[in-house]
Amino acid sequence: MNFRLPFRAGLTVAALVGASIAAFAQTPASASGSAELTVQYNHPLHAVSPTLYGLMTEEINHSYDGGLYAELIRDRTFFNREHHDFRKIWNLDQNAEDGISISVDDQTGPSDALPYSLKLTAAKASPSDPGGVDNPGYWGVPVWPNTTYHASIYLKAAGDDNPGPVTMAIVNKETGKVMASATFPAAGAAWKQYTATMRTGNVAESENNFVRVTVSHPGSVLMNVVSLFPPTYDNQKNGDRIDLMQKMAAMHPTFLRFPGGNYLEGNTLADWYDWKITIGPIVDRPTHPSPWGYQSSDGMGLLEFLEWCQDLHMQPVLAVYAGYALDRQHIPPGPELEPYVKDALEEIQYVTGSTSTKWGAVRARDGHPAPFHLKYVEIGNEDFFDPSHSYSGSHGRFAQFARAIRKAYPNLKLIATMPVKGDVQPDVVDDHFYRTPQEFLNDTHHYDKMSRKGPKIFVGEWATMEGSPTPDFGAALSDAAWMTGLERNSDLVIMASYAPLFVNVNPMAAQWGTNLIGYDSMHSYGSPSYYAQVMFSKYLGNQVVASKLTGAGPLCFESVTRDEATHTLYVKVVNASPKAQPLTLHIEGAGEVAHSGTLVTLEAKSTHATNTITDPRNVVPHTEEVNWFGSDVHRTFAPYSINVIEMHVQ
Ligand code: AHR
């Protein structure tokens, strides 16, 4: 696979492509020595952070365009017109007889943001032989039977030779058969958006389709913002893919960190994430370059991020641009940085302000009068890469943003992307880890001894880099081992999010090697690491209780939590060894332990076992009821297994 390296220096290629490092001996299974896990049920050590598990995403790997954002038309605004690159996506309808041509009209477009358009000219079109342009979608266009799609387009007559109504159709690539279509009225003299619905009949499910936009009479017409949406999550306009929203919901995420990541920074100072161009009607969004090698449609803009939080009951963790780019240039702290500080304050006002504030009113105009609740703001991304150290000094970029934000919004908690010097300290520091399995397995005690006197920790990006495009079971095992350490230390580590979350698995769609959830235009799947995340966040409890593991092999890891209110105990045992692990669980201090519980296990015969788009359920959790007699629970945990026992305690 060909992965395009991001501009960022400092990450190894091995990290990017998902290094396959043999962390686990593939030896035949036999049993390790018997272990004892003693749990002091009535000795809670500290609360589990209520925001421990959340999500981090950005526009990488076609996470939004060609991913979560449900738009089916690729390059709906012909953004690469200068280089005629849009022609790599938009093609002339090969079925039409000669006489169809397309060109860019730079003189007129539907908005100030899109001051240009595509001119479609048909010399010979007729109702029996219409002609137009084809769009491939994002590696196919999904067709489901008996399904309604929402189509829209901006049109303007190009002159007196108006070709009349314009038709949009989904066409099967192999058969050429129209699966659904809608016709818009003839364009008028002024730019106007036309909308229509199209519905498939009793057709077979398939993604081997494209979209065709045609006219049936000779003439020229101008178009832009050509759009087609399938059903979306909660039927929202400009909405999200249902399957991906459901997969995220199953992770019980408590927060969403956005908009990045490198995506916040941009390759150069000119490419910064300018949130103001991502709000309002789509026609007013000019699009912008993502640092991951393609243009972002910005259909997933600031308000859409916030609505996504609302839909999945997550709190937003808003990252504001802090004057640093991936090419290692920065805006110096002081007067030159002030406009960006002001911009961040306005962004926070857009998110949280009442409708009587300037930017709160703009949010209301955009369709969301109610302010969003915001607690955490992150200032920048990975500023430890800045060779000038302009971020971390006592008069650095962080301090300048932090002073201004705290003055205007004293209740916000501020996250720094690295430790900073001086009086202006962050509430939280964001740590990132992209590691081999061995590195995580060796470091599950990373936070055990860390001082509790400084800022809290947000592990804002982390992943075991093994497996591509999505992690294999070996990665899931070391992810799970690492998460036992996060849980045990969740008095300090208050938030954690795996990254990257999404990957479109089509060739050339991805820029990063190991990603949690894979999909094509129609199907999606969770990797083994995804299921490990689901298990850890679903069975979490709200207090960490004292526990001690003795006699286990070095690849056995545990974390024990309880839910005080429901008297539920959660025992997580990760056996990253090729040998079975017998274990006796002693529960001390509990009045009475029920003699049955539920055991959820994710296991595989090999660390290389994985899920793929064509074999999505090879490694998935299974659940069984477990019973025992007396106060001790004896259980042999399978080789290579991630286990959670849920039991009721009186
Ligand atoms: O998650 C991929 C990238 O890794 C992020 O954009 C960046 O913050 C980190 O370097």
Side-chain angles (χ1 to χ4, degrees), residues 143 147 149 168-171 177-182 198-201:
V143 161
T147 300
Y149 295 69
M168 189 188 297
I170 305 177
V171 182
K177 221 174 139 192
V178 171
M179 312 306 283
S181 72
M198 59 172 90
R199 191 164 167 81
T200 56

Side-chain angles (χ1 to χ4, degrees), residues 33 80 91-92 96 110 211 233-234 293 330 395 479 512 533 551 618:
N80 279 327
N91 288 301
L92 293 180
V211 170
Y233 189 77
D234 255 353
H330 71 276
H395 297 286
D479 284 352
W512 193 269
Q533 296 270 333
N618 185 36

Side-chain angles (χ1 to χ4, degrees), residues 16-35:
L16 289 171
V17 300
S20 179
I21 291 167
F24 309 91
Q26 304 282 338
T27 48
S30 60
S32 296
S34 190

Side-chain angles (χ1 to χ4, degrees), residues 310-547:
Q310 185 175 277
D311 289 345
L312 295 187
H313 312 292
M314 309 180 283
Q315 59 171 298
V317 175
L318 176 70
V320 296
Y321 177 72
Y324 181 68
L326 295 166
D327 66 359
R328 300 189 163 209
Q329 301 300 307
H330 71 276
I331 314 273
E336 283 181 62
L337 194 60
E338 251 339 273
Y340 296 92
V341 174
K342 181 168 172 276
D343 206 84
L345 293 174
E346 290 172 342
E347 187 173 7
I348 295 168
Q349 192 181 78
Y350 182 91
V351 177
T352 64
S354 76
T355 52
S356 62
T357 63
K358 177 180 170 193
W359 288 100
V362 176
R363 187 196 60 241
R365 174 209 72 184
D366 293 345
H368 204 288
F372 293 90
H373 178 68
L374 181 69
K375 182 171 175 188
Y376 292 103
V377 170
E378 180 155 5
I379 297 172
N381 179 58
E382 294 193 337
D383 293 87
F384 48 82
F385 280 113
D386 177 358
S388 74
H389 309 295
S390 67
Y391 182 85
S392 53
S394 48
H395 297 286
R397 290 184 288 112
F398 174 80
Q400 190 170 337
F401 274 87
R403 279 198 188 93
I405 295 174
R406 283 195 175 130
K407 193 166 166 216
Y409 298 98
N411 293 330
L412 286 178
K413 300 277 180 216
L414 300 185
I415 305 172
T417 67
M418 63 182 292
V420 297
K421 299 190 189 104
D423 295 343
V424 185
Q425 283 296 310
D427 300 290
V428 183
V429 169
D430 181 358
D431 276 356
H432 293 180
F433 301 90
Y434 292 104
R435 287 181 158 182
T436 64
Q438 196 64 62
E439 284 169 335
F440 269 137
L441 294 173
N442 289 344
D443 198 26
T444 58
H445 295 281
H446 187 91
Y447 290 110
D448 287 4
K449 299 257 157 58
M450 192 167 281
S451 163
R452 268 48 183 172
K453 293 196 179 119
K456 301 283 187 195
I457 300 291
F458 172 24
V459 184
E461 294 179 30
W462 71 272
T464 307
M465 303 288 287
E466 183 181 86
S468 186
T470 48
D472 63 17
F473 190 66
L477 282 170
S478 61
D479 284 352
W482 171 248
M483 284 191 282
T484 63
L486 298 182
E487 282 189 9
R488 278 198 322 273
N489 286 286
S490 70
D491 56 328
L492 175 67
V493 181
I494 57 166
M495 297 186 281
S497 41
Y498 186 104
L501 180 69
F502 287 139
V503 63
N504 186 313
V505 299
N506 278 288
M508 305 309 291
Q511 296 81 44
W512 193 269
T514 307
N515 312 280
L516 200 64
I517 296 172
Y519 47 84
D520 58 17
S521 68
M522 189 163 212
H523 306 102
S524 58
Y525 70 97
S527 62
S529 290
Y530 165 81
Y531 288 109
Q533 296 270 333
V534 170
M535 287 167 65
F536 269 66
S537 56
K538 181 168 177 198
Y539 302 101
L540 187 54
N542 53 17
Q543 291 175 326
V544 172
V545 298
S547 62

Side-chain angles (χ1 to χ4, degrees), residues 8 11 56 58 60 257 261-263 265 292 381-382 385 432 434 461 499-500 512:
R8 165 86 76 221
L11 285 168
M56 184 271 168
E58 62 180 321
I60 181 175
R257 172 180 175 235
N262 290 1
Y263 188 54
E265 299 166 79
W292 297 102
N381 179 58
E382 294 193 337
F385 280 113
H432 293 180
Y434 292 104
E461 294 179 30
W512 193 269

